[in-house]
Amino acid sequence: MAGGGGGGGGGGGGGGGGGGGGGGGPAPPPKQDELVPHPAKDQLPNIAYCITSPPPWPEAILLGFQHYLVMLGTTVLIPSSLVPQMGGGNEEKAKVIQTLLFVAGLNTLCQTLFGTRLPAVIGVTLFEKIMRGIQGALIVASTLQIVIGFSGLWRNVTRFLSPLSAVPLVALSGFGLYELGFPVLARCIEIGLPQLIALVIFSQYIPHILRSDKHVFDRFAVIFSVVLVWIYAHLLTVGGAYKNTGTKTQASCRTDRAGIIGAAPWIRVPYPFQWGAPTFDAGESFAMMAASFVALVESTGAFIAVSRYASATPMPPSILSRGVGWQGVGILFSGIFGTGNGSSVSVENAGLLALTRVGSRRVVQISAGFMIFFSILGKFGAVFASIPPPIIAALYCLFFAYVGAAGLSFLQFCNLNSFKTKFVLSFSVFMGLSIPQYFNEYRVVNGYGPVHTGARWFNDMINVPFSSEAFVAGMLALFLDTTLHRKDSTSKKDRGMHWWDKFRSFKTDTRSEEFYSLPFNLNKFFPSV
């Protein structure tokens, strides 16, 4: 009220000045567009190449290689910790990494061709435990996502998703991975920090200073910065900087410690059941299903972020459900080939789309080609796989942040002056950070989770979901949003649902056909609803 009165007083003063005939007349009123907030956009502007527009071939190949470099991080980190626990050495580690790369390439191609058709890299997610036991459990767990996805069940669930409930889910799909950022970078601060600084300089400051139309430094910032810091790290290694340091420091800092190059074969094609016939255990399978469901929810958040950075429209629920079904097929491939891990959308590669501003499907399909190529030519792939983990973690600091920002961007559709909006948003984000913190801290201190019964599979079914930030925040936000809203237009606008209504069905917006329809006229046989 005071602000309104002040505005009225100002207007009266202006009128008095004009009436007095003094110099200049009344102050010009502010232009209308200066007072209007930024308009909401259902497609992200300023993307150089969107989902259906590929860059020129040389640029596309380089960008595809960059995606391959980025996805290598988790592909190497997970087997490095998992294989020694199973009693394996460097040879087994190299074999698992090759298999992971091969299956990731296969799954990425399937997802971009027949799944959501988004430029989403399908990487690895950690489902712990011996290899043959994991294989059997993965094969069983894959049926969960296959059934939920292809039956349309997930379509019916995600129809309730609004921009408001999407914010915590997508934001914590990125921000929730903070423990993989600076804490891993700091294991070797002398190479991790220069990598982070170099990445920010190449991607942000050099383009800001040069103001060139040729986007070279920002688009290929990963290649420039990684090569530079990798050479610097190698010079430190050969110069003897780590001769008298502890084994942990050497493992993190040295460029010759991975042991993968010597152990990797020159040429090897991964094949099904290469570790022997899988074993099946009901308890393990139930625990794996819980992990699979968590991966499904986390991937939903990552898919939404990818669609945003590919400058596509929001995904119709039927397309998201189709993508989940194909992710289930991906987990089945993981079980058959014996990767030791499940499959989910690579969050870091979703962030790379934002850095390069290239959301082209073709670029990610090229990166899938690199994955398959380097999985077969083991020695060459092993060279890139020996990049020290702190360099990869420095990339994560930026890429996970970008995915978190994609979640925050959906606030543009919501009414932030509504107390209900504030409650759903704040409570779900806070609990999404606080509950997993409790579960993870408890496990670190005690060696097991808060739920600790004689049945390990039951423990995992409870402890695994509640250790995931994106899962807790996303499911809580969806529950609160759907149970607290009223069926009136004001409530609908507060949640941003009036923006997403036209995307709840495949056929209500013509752009869905352009972005998400299947290739080879397959829509005739598998129509989207």
Side-chain angles (χ1 to χ4, degrees):
M1 294 298 288
K31 293 177 184 175
Q32 192 60 33
D33 60 353
E34 288 177 2
L35 299 174
V36 176
H38 297 292
K41 305 273 189 184
D42 51 24
Q43 279 181 263
L44 184 65
N46 303 318
I47 294 292
Y49 299 98
C50 78
I51 183 171
T52 52
S53 58
W57 276 104
E59 193 173 341
I61 289 167
L62 266 180
L63 286 163
F65 180 71
Q66 203 166 232
H67 271 282
Y68 162 73
L69 274 185
V70 168
M71 69 81 58
L72 267 179
T74 44
T75 307
V76 175
L77 282 174
I78 291 176
S80 296
S81 63
L82 196 65
V83 172
Q85 291 175 32
M86 297 176 176
N90 285 335
E91 197 174 318
E92 286 77 18
K93 194 200 298 183
K95 204 171 166 183
V96 171
I97 290 169
Q98 281 182 272
T99 307
L100 278 170
L101 278 175
F102 184 81
V103 173
L106 202 62
N107 289 341
T108 301
L109 280 177
C110 288
Q111 190 63 242
T112 53
L113 283 170
F114 309 116
T116 57
R117 306 222 65 216
L118 287 169
V121 171
I122 306 300
V124 298
T125 186
L126 180 57
F127 295 176
E128 290 187 17
K129 307 295 174 254
I130 55 175
M131 182 63 78
R132 293 196 302 162
I134 295 179
Q135 280 189 268
L138 280 172
I139 290 168
V140 174
S142 68
T143 58
L144 179 80
Q145 290 198 28
I146 290 171
V147 170
I148 287 177
F150 290 136
S151 69
L153 190 61
W154 198 239
R155 175 188 71 215
N156 296 332
V157 172
T158 51
R159 277 198 172 136
F160 292 103
L161 203 64
S162 70
L164 175 58
S165 51
V167 173
L169 170 63
V170 182
L172 266 66
S173 294
F175 295 143
L177 298 170
Y178 57 85
E179 73 274 9
L180 297 176
F182 202 85
V184 180
L185 178 157
R187 289 177 190 172
C188 190
I189 199 81
E190 61 268 31
I191 62 171
L193 197 58
Q195 171 61 44
L196 183 58
I197 293 167
L199 183 66
V200 172
I201 289 172
F202 277 116
S203 66
Q204 308 300 324
Y205 283 95
I206 291 179
H208 176 72
I209 294 163
L210 293 181
R211 297 184 180 276
S212 169
D213 291 334
K214 293 180 178 178
H215 299 276
V216 176
F217 290 104
D218 48 349
R219 204 157 285 169
F220 301 105
V222 170
I223 290 176
F224 284 129
S225 58
V226 167
V227 167
L228 201 67
V229 178
W230 197 8
I231 291 169
Y232 158 67
H234 189 64
L235 291 175
L236 286 178
T237 301
V238 296
Y242 306 113
K243 265 184 183 175
N244 302 313
T245 55
T247 51
K248 281 189 178 178
T249 305
Q250 295 209 17
S252 296
C253 299
R254 294 185 71 103
T255 54
D256 58 358
R257 274 282 156 182
I260 304 166
I261 301 173
W266 282 101
I267 295 176
R268 181 181 172 276
V269 180
Y271 55 90
F273 306 117
Q274 56 192 334
W275 308 100
T279 59
F280 294 92
D281 177 81
E284 295 286 358
S285 298
F286 277 117
M288 199 68 86
M289 277 188 174
S292 174
F293 187 65
V294 172
L296 184 159
V297 174
E298 291 173 344
S299 289
T300 298
F303 273 135
I304 294 170
V306 170
S307 70
R308 191 79 189 146
Y309 286 135
S311 195
T313 51
M315 271 180 299
S318 60
I319 300 302
L320 186 50
S321 199
R322 190 174 76 194
V324 164
W326 275 101
Q327 188 168 281
V329 173
I331 295 174
L332 180 62
F333 286 153
S334 298
I336 290 170
F337 281 91
T339 62
N341 306 272
S343 298
S344 65
V345 179
S346 168
V347 176
E348 54 270 33
N349 287 87
L352 181 58
L353 297 176
L355 181 82
T356 59
R357 299 190 191 181
V358 175
S360 165
R361 186 186 295 137
R362 181 182 291 172
V363 166
V364 169
Q365 288 170 339
I366 290 169
S367 82
F370 276 117
M371 293 172 214
I372 293 170
F373 177 77
F374 284 119
S375 73
I376 294 168
L377 295 176
K379 288 279 188 208
F380 295 102
V383 171
F384 299 112
S386 64
I387 297 172
I391 291 180
I392 301 295
L395 302 179
Y396 291 170
C397 289
L398 187 52
F399 297 152
F400 294 160
Y402 264 131
V403 172
L408 298 181
S409 72
F410 291 111
L411 290 172
Q412 65 184 302
F413 304 116
C414 307
N415 178 12
L416 291 178
N417 293 318
S418 158
F419 275 94
K420 200 174 287 180
T421 301
K422 291 179 192 295
F423 167 70
V424 172
L425 197 62
S426 57
F427 187 61
S428 56
V429 169
F430 182 84
M431 296 308 284
L433 292 169
S434 193
I435 291 173
Q437 178 69 15
Y438 165 70
F439 272 77
N440 292 325
E441 259 185 27
Y442 194 101
R443 192 176 68 247
V444 168
V445 173
N446 299 289
Y448 49 82
V451 178
H452 185 58
T453 67
R456 184 179 166 181
W457 61 271
F458 178 77
N459 302 340
D460 287 345
M461 284 185 73
I462 307 299
N463 291 328
V464 170
F466 287 103
S467 300
S468 165
E469 288 85 355
F471 180 86
V472 174
M475 296 306 282
L476 184 59
L478 182 63
F479 174 77
L480 295 173
D481 187 35
T482 49
T483 53
L484 286 174
H485 84 276
R486 291 195 182 95
K487 292 183 179 178
D488 56 46
S489 60
T490 306
S491 177
K492 204 172 185 180
K493 281 188 175 181
D494 287 351
R495 303 164 64 219
M497 209 56 180
H498 62 302
W499 278 98
W500 275 18
D501 260 351
K502 61 183 172 184
F503 303 112
R504 290 174 82 184
S505 172
F506 182 78
K507 292 176 181 173
T508 45
D509 191 282
T510 52
R511 291 170 292 178
S512 296
E513 180 80 28
E514 178 193 349
F515 297 138
Y516 301 115
S517 61
L518 290 168
F520 318 123
N521 277 335
L522 287 173
N523 263 42
K524 287 182 181 178
F525 308 102
F526 306 101
S528 300
V529 292

